[in-house]
Amino acid sequence: MRLAWRIATLKNGFQDATAYRIEFLFEILGAAFVPAAIQITLWYAMFKVGGATEVHGQTFLDLLNYTITSVLFTQIRGGDLDFEVQEMIRSGQLSNYLLRPIGFLEFIYIRGLAPKLFIASLCLGAGILMSPWVQLSPGRLFGSMLLALIGNIIHYQISSALAATAFYWEEGYAILMVKNMLVSFLSGELVPLNLFPESVHWVWKSFPFYLYVFGPTQYALGKWTHTEFLIQLGFACIWLVIGWTLIRLTWGLGLKKYLSLGG
């Protein structure tokens, strides 16, 4: 009986692990290829059906290469850790972590870092494999991936600062949803940001979101020089400091009001 129970337990565990891997794979594929398919359909309609030759100085091949390359970085940016943090504050589960000898936000980020690093390695490998067709150099890919990973940290910092609204407002979820919509638009995930008129470029340049997808894609495709990349890397480091400051300010004030009534 004990042997049968162990066999059944191992079988159930294997099935659960397999189901998790399949779900993880479909989540990646769905999040990556559905937006890309929409963009490719749009470019096809504009150029092949509509007869356009250029859009803001970019050809059909330019936009197609952008769409394909940007997929490598859209999966690295962001995540749902901020919603988890917000829910812990709202429900009072945060109290269980405040007693531990480790920073709460650092613990949550490190705990969720492994899947992102795994996805980053897959995307890097995919980029190297398709480099002969999209003309991507391995050196630029490594630099772009570094910028995208720094962007992931910046995104978590800003998201965590916004999640601190749950200390004051129970429905902080809405703010995070609005943030995600803005990030999708201003990161270059939906369309290349250089398609917008020059007069409004200051809008997306005022936020760090373009460092998540648009920036890495531009450098990977050779649209940015090495000097421009280093400048943008410097901006990313500045935003890391700004994000750290925002966290210290918002969480310092929020914890003073935290009552853990939901715990």
Side-chain angles (χ1 to χ4, degrees), residues 96-121:
N96 299 328
Y97 293 88
L98 295 179
L99 300 176
R100 298 180 181 181
I102 185 174
F104 167 69
L105 293 177
E106 291 84 352
F107 172 77
I108 295 297
Y109 182 76
I110 293 173
R111 191 186 66 181
L113 184 60
K116 288 298 179 183
L117 292 178
F118 176 70
I119 293 173
S121 63

mmCIF file of all heavy atoms in Angstrom, residues 96-121:
data_model
loop_
_atom_site.group_PDB
_atom_site.id
_atom_site.type_symbol
_atom_site.label_atom_id
_atom_site.label_comp_id
_atom_site.label_asym_id
_atom_site.label_seq_id
_atom_site.Cartn_x
_atom_site.Cartn_y
_atom_site.Cartn_z
ATOM 1 N N ASN A 96 3.832 38.929 7.375
ATOM 2 C CA ASN A 96 4.638 37.717 7.482
ATOM 3 C C ASN A 96 6.053 37.914 6.961
ATOM 4 O O ASN A 96 6.979 37.208 7.371
ATOM 5 C CB ASN A 96 3.973 36.574 6.699
ATOM 6 C CG ASN A 96 2.599 36.240 7.235
ATOM 7 O OD1 ASN A 96 2.348 36.363 8.438
ATOM 8 N ND2 ASN A 96 1.699 35.834 6.362
ATOM 9 N N TYR A 97 6.218 38.886 6.053
ATOM 10 C CA TYR A 97 7.528 39.123 5.443
ATOM 11 C C TYR A 97 8.309 40.211 6.170
ATOM 12 O O TYR A 97 9.537 40.209 6.128
ATOM 13 C CB TYR A 97 7.349 39.524 3.976
ATOM 14 C CG TYR A 97 6.806 38.403 3.125
ATOM 15 C CD1 TYR A 97 5.429 38.207 2.993
ATOM 16 C CD2 TYR A 97 7.658 37.539 2.445
ATOM 17 C CE1 TYR A 97 4.925 37.173 2.212
ATOM 18 C CE2 TYR A 97 7.163 36.503 1.658
ATOM 19 C CZ TYR A 97 5.795 36.331 1.546
ATOM 20 O OH TYR A 97 5.297 35.294 0.779
ATOM 21 N N LEU A 98 7.603 41.121 6.809
ATOM 22 C CA LEU A 98 8.296 42.198 7.515
ATOM 23 C C LEU A 98 9.107 41.679 8.694
ATOM 24 O O LEU A 98 10.041 42.336 9.150
ATOM 25 C CB LEU A 98 7.287 43.246 8.003
ATOM 26 C CG LEU A 98 6.541 44.015 6.909
ATOM 27 C CD1 LEU A 98 5.566 45.001 7.525
ATOM 28 C CD2 LEU A 98 7.523 44.748 6.000
ATOM 29 N N LEU A 99 8.749 40.501 9.202
ATOM 30 C CA LEU A 99 9.454 39.917 10.342
ATOM 31 C C LEU A 99 10.717 39.184 9.931
ATOM 32 O O LEU A 99 11.518 38.793 10.780
ATOM 33 C CB LEU A 99 8.521 38.951 11.089
ATOM 34 C CG LEU A 99 7.236 39.570 11.663
ATOM 35 C CD1 LEU A 99 6.365 38.492 12.288
ATOM 36 C CD2 LEU A 99 7.573 40.641 12.701
ATOM 37 N N ARG A 100 10.907 38.972 8.624
ATOM 38 C CA ARG A 100 12.066 38.224 8.164
ATOM 39 C C ARG A 100 13.283 39.142 8.013
ATOM 40 O O ARG A 100 13.133 40.334 7.711
ATOM 41 C CB ARG A 100 11.755 37.543 6.827
ATOM 42 C CG ARG A 100 10.619 36.537 6.925
ATOM 43 C CD ARG A 100 10.344 35.879 5.588
ATOM 44 N NE ARG A 100 9.245 34.932 5.679
ATOM 45 C CZ ARG A 100 8.798 34.197 4.660
ATOM 46 N NH1 ARG A 100 9.374 34.313 3.483
ATOM 47 N NH2 ARG A 100 7.793 33.355 4.823
ATOM 48 N N PRO A 101 14.482 38.599 8.193
ATOM 49 C CA PRO A 101 15.704 39.420 8.106
ATOM 50 C C PRO A 101 16.144 39.668 6.673
ATOM 51 O O PRO A 101 17.292 39.415 6.295
ATOM 52 C CB PRO A 101 16.724 38.567 8.875
ATOM 53 C CG PRO A 101 16.288 37.169 8.636
ATOM 54 C CD PRO A 101 14.770 37.218 8.614
ATOM 55 N N ILE A 102 15.232 40.103 5.829
ATOM 56 C CA ILE A 102 15.546 40.392 4.433
ATOM 57 C C ILE A 102 14.550 41.418 3.931
ATOM 58 O O ILE A 102 13.405 41.475 4.400
ATOM 59 C CB ILE A 102 15.461 39.102 3.568
ATOM 60 C CG1 ILE A 102 15.906 39.398 2.131
ATOM 61 C CG2 ILE A 102 14.049 38.525 3.581
ATOM 62 C CD1 ILE A 102 15.988 38.169 1.258
ATOM 63 N N GLY A 103 14.992 42.295 3.037
ATOM 64 C CA GLY A 103 14.094 43.296 2.490
ATOM 65 C C GLY A 103 12.947 42.643 1.734
ATOM 66 O O GLY A 103 13.176 41.753 0.911
ATOM 67 N N PHE A 104 11.732 43.085 1.997
ATOM 68 C CA PHE A 104 10.551 42.474 1.391
ATOM 69 C C PHE A 104 10.574 42.591 -0.131
ATOM 70 O O PHE A 104 10.411 41.597 -0.847
ATOM 71 C CB PHE A 104 9.290 43.127 1.954
ATOM 72 C CG PHE A 104 8.043 42.800 1.188
ATOM 73 C CD1 PHE A 104 7.513 41.521 1.208
ATOM 74 C CD2 PHE A 104 7.406 43.773 0.420
ATOM 75 C CE1 PHE A 104 6.369 41.210 0.481
ATOM 76 C CE2 PHE A 104 6.262 43.478 -0.300
ATOM 77 C CZ PHE A 104 5.744 42.192 -0.263
ATOM 78 N N LEU A 105 10.779 43.806 -0.646
ATOM 79 C CA LEU A 105 10.740 44.014 -2.093
ATOM 80 C C LEU A 105 11.879 43.289 -2.790
ATOM 81 O O LEU A 105 11.708 42.751 -3.891
ATOM 82 C CB LEU A 105 10.803 45.513 -2.402
ATOM 83 C CG LEU A 105 9.577 46.326 -1.957
ATOM 84 C CD1 LEU A 105 9.781 47.799 -2.238
ATOM 85 C CD2 LEU A 105 8.322 45.829 -2.668
ATOM 86 N N GLU A 106 13.046 43.252 -2.154
ATOM 87 C CA GLU A 106 14.172 42.518 -2.741
ATOM 88 C C GLU A 106 13.860 41.017 -2.800
ATOM 89 O O GLU A 106 14.161 40.344 -3.794
ATOM 90 C CB GLU A 106 15.449 42.747 -1.924
ATOM 91 C CG GLU A 106 16.011 44.152 -2.020
ATOM 92 C CD GLU A 106 15.350 45.115 -1.040
ATOM 93 O OE1 GLU A 106 14.344 44.705 -0.404
ATOM 94 O OE2 GLU A 106 15.817 46.257 -0.920
ATOM 95 N N PHE A 107 13.234 40.508 -1.732
ATOM 96 C CA PHE A 107 12.897 39.085 -1.677
ATOM 97 C C PHE A 107 11.903 38.716 -2.782
ATOM 98 O O PHE A 107 12.080 37.704 -3.475
ATOM 99 C CB PHE A 107 12.304 38.750 -0.309
ATOM 100 C CG PHE A 107 11.752 37.350 -0.213
ATOM 101 C CD1 PHE A 107 12.585 36.261 -0.066
ATOM 102 C CD2 PHE A 107 10.378 37.138 -0.280
ATOM 103 C CE1 PHE A 107 12.080 34.973 0.010
ATOM 104 C CE2 PHE A 107 9.858 35.852 -0.200
ATOM 105 C CZ PHE A 107 10.711 34.775 -0.057
ATOM 106 N N ILE A 108 10.867 39.540 -2.974
ATOM 107 C CA ILE A 108 9.856 39.262 -3.993
ATOM 108 C C ILE A 108 10.482 39.297 -5.379
ATOM 109 O O ILE A 108 10.192 38.440 -6.232
ATOM 110 C CB ILE A 108 8.699 40.280 -3.898
ATOM 111 C CG1 ILE A 108 7.958 40.123 -2.561
ATOM 112 C CG2 ILE A 108 7.725 40.097 -5.065
ATOM 113 C CD1 ILE A 108 7.283 38.789 -2.382
ATOM 114 N N TYR A 109 11.367 40.261 -5.619
ATOM 115 C CA TYR A 109 11.971 40.373 -6.948
ATOM 116 C C TYR A 109 12.898 39.192 -7.237
ATOM 117 O O TYR A 109 12.837 38.593 -8.313
ATOM 118 C CB TYR A 109 12.760 41.674 -7.064
ATOM 119 C CG TYR A 109 13.375 41.858 -8.437
ATOM 120 C CD1 TYR A 109 12.583 42.232 -9.518
ATOM 121 C CD2 TYR A 109 14.734 41.643 -8.655
ATOM 122 C CE1 TYR A 109 13.127 42.377 -10.787
ATOM 123 C CE2 TYR A 109 15.283 41.786 -9.919
ATOM 124 C CZ TYR A 109 14.479 42.157 -10.975
ATOM 125 O OH TYR A 109 15.016 42.284 -12.230
ATOM 126 N N ILE A 110 13.742 38.857 -6.278
ATOM 127 C CA ILE A 110 14.684 37.747 -6.486
ATOM 128 C C ILE A 110 13.929 36.437 -6.676
ATOM 129 O O ILE A 110 14.313 35.588 -7.494
ATOM 130 C CB ILE A 110 15.664 37.659 -5.302
ATOM 131 C CG1 ILE A 110 16.571 38.887 -5.294
ATOM 132 C CG2 ILE A 110 16.506 36.385 -5.383
ATOM 133 C CD1 ILE A 110 17.462 38.983 -4.083
ATOM 134 N N ARG A 111 12.840 36.273 -5.939
ATOM 135 C CA ARG A 111 12.040 35.057 -6.071
ATOM 136 C C ARG A 111 11.458 34.906 -7.464
ATOM 137 O O ARG A 111 11.321 33.794 -7.981
ATOM 138 C CB ARG A 111 10.916 35.077 -5.023
ATOM 139 C CG ARG A 111 10.177 33.757 -4.873
ATOM 140 C CD ARG A 111 9.009 33.901 -3.936
ATOM 141 N NE ARG A 111 7.977 34.782 -4.478
ATOM 142 C CZ ARG A 111 6.851 35.099 -3.848
ATOM 143 N NH1 ARG A 111 6.628 34.626 -2.636
ATOM 144 N NH2 ARG A 111 5.967 35.901 -4.405
ATOM 145 N N GLY A 112 11.109 36.009 -8.110
ATOM 146 C CA GLY A 112 10.523 35.949 -9.449
ATOM 147 C C GLY A 112 11.528 36.180 -10.567
ATOM 148 O O GLY A 112 11.141 36.276 -11.735
ATOM 149 N N LEU A 113 12.824 36.270 -10.212
ATOM 150 C CA LEU A 113 13.835 36.584 -11.212
ATOM 151 C C LEU A 113 14.184 35.391 -12.099
ATOM 152 O O LEU A 113 14.486 35.565 -13.289
ATOM 153 C CB LEU A 113 15.103 37.097 -10.516
ATOM 154 C CG LEU A 113 16.249 37.569 -11.415
ATOM 155 C CD1 LEU A 113 15.788 38.721 -12.308
ATOM 156 C CD2 LEU A 113 17.444 38.003 -10.566
ATOM 157 N N ALA A 114 14.149 34.188 -11.540
ATOM 158 C CA ALA A 114 14.572 33.005 -12.288
ATOM 159 C C ALA A 114 13.821 32.829 -13.611
ATOM 160 O O ALA A 114 14.450 32.581 -14.652
ATOM 161 C CB ALA A 114 14.440 31.758 -11.417
ATOM 162 N N PRO A 115 12.469 32.936 -13.638
ATOM 163 C CA PRO A 115 11.769 32.799 -14.927
ATOM 164 C C PRO A 115 12.196 33.838 -15.952
ATOM 165 O O PRO A 115 12.307 33.532 -17.148
ATOM 166 C CB PRO A 115 10.291 32.961 -14.547
ATOM 167 C CG PRO A 115 10.225 32.609 -13.106
ATOM 168 C CD PRO A 115 11.505 33.080 -12.520
ATOM 169 N N LYS A 116 12.451 35.085 -15.501
ATOM 170 C CA LYS A 116 12.870 36.128 -16.428
ATOM 171 C C LYS A 116 14.250 35.836 -17.006
ATOM 172 O O LYS A 116 14.500 36.062 -18.190
ATOM 173 C CB LYS A 116 12.869 37.492 -15.714
ATOM 174 C CG LYS A 116 11.490 38.049 -15.431
ATOM 175 C CD LYS A 116 10.722 38.307 -16.715
ATOM 176 C CE LYS A 116 9.322 38.845 -16.438
ATOM 177 N NZ LYS A 116 8.542 39.037 -17.687
ATOM 178 N N LEU A 117 15.163 35.355 -16.162
ATOM 179 C CA LEU A 117 16.494 35.018 -16.655
ATOM 180 C C LEU A 117 16.428 33.847 -17.632
ATOM 181 O O LEU A 117 17.169 33.804 -18.626
ATOM 182 C CB LEU A 117 17.422 34.683 -15.484
ATOM 183 C CG LEU A 117 17.783 35.851 -14.565
ATOM 184 C CD1 LEU A 117 18.656 35.367 -13.416
ATOM 185 C CD2 LEU A 117 18.496 36.959 -15.351
ATOM 186 N N PHE A 118 15.544 32.896 -17.350
ATOM 187 C CA PHE A 118 15.361 31.763 -18.259
ATOM 188 C C PHE A 118 14.827 32.237 -19.605
ATOM 189 O O PHE A 118 15.323 31.833 -20.668
ATOM 190 C CB PHE A 118 14.412 30.744 -17.628
ATOM 191 C CG PHE A 118 14.080 29.588 -18.518
ATOM 192 C CD1 PHE A 118 15.037 28.627 -18.823
ATOM 193 C CD2 PHE A 118 12.811 29.453 -19.068
ATOM 194 C CE1 PHE A 118 14.738 27.555 -19.662
ATOM 195 C CE2 PHE A 118 12.496 28.382 -19.894
ATOM 196 C CZ PHE A 118 13.470 27.434 -20.186
ATOM 197 N N ILE A 119 13.825 33.122 -19.569
ATOM 198 C CA ILE A 119 13.262 33.660 -20.805
ATOM 199 C C ILE A 119 14.306 34.482 -21.546
ATOM 200 O O ILE A 119 14.415 34.419 -22.780
ATOM 201 C CB ILE A 119 12.017 34.508 -20.495
ATOM 202 C CG1 ILE A 119 10.889 33.618 -19.966
ATOM 203 C CG2 ILE A 119 11.545 35.262 -21.737
ATOM 204 C CD1 ILE A 119 9.683 34.381 -19.473
ATOM 205 N N ALA A 120 15.101 35.272 -20.802
ATOM 206 C CA ALA A 120 16.145 36.085 -21.429
ATOM 207 C C ALA A 120 17.156 35.212 -22.149
ATOM 208 O O ALA A 120 17.602 35.535 -23.261
ATOM 209 C CB ALA A 120 16.839 36.946 -20.377
ATOM 210 N N SER A 121 17.522 34.084 -21.541
ATOM 211 C CA SER A 121 18.480 33.173 -22.187
ATOM 212 C C SER A 121 17.875 32.549 -23.444
ATOM 213 O O SER A 121 18.559 32.400 -24.460
ATOM 214 C CB SER A 121 18.928 32.087 -21.200
ATOM 215 O OG SER A 121 17.833 31.271 -20.800
#
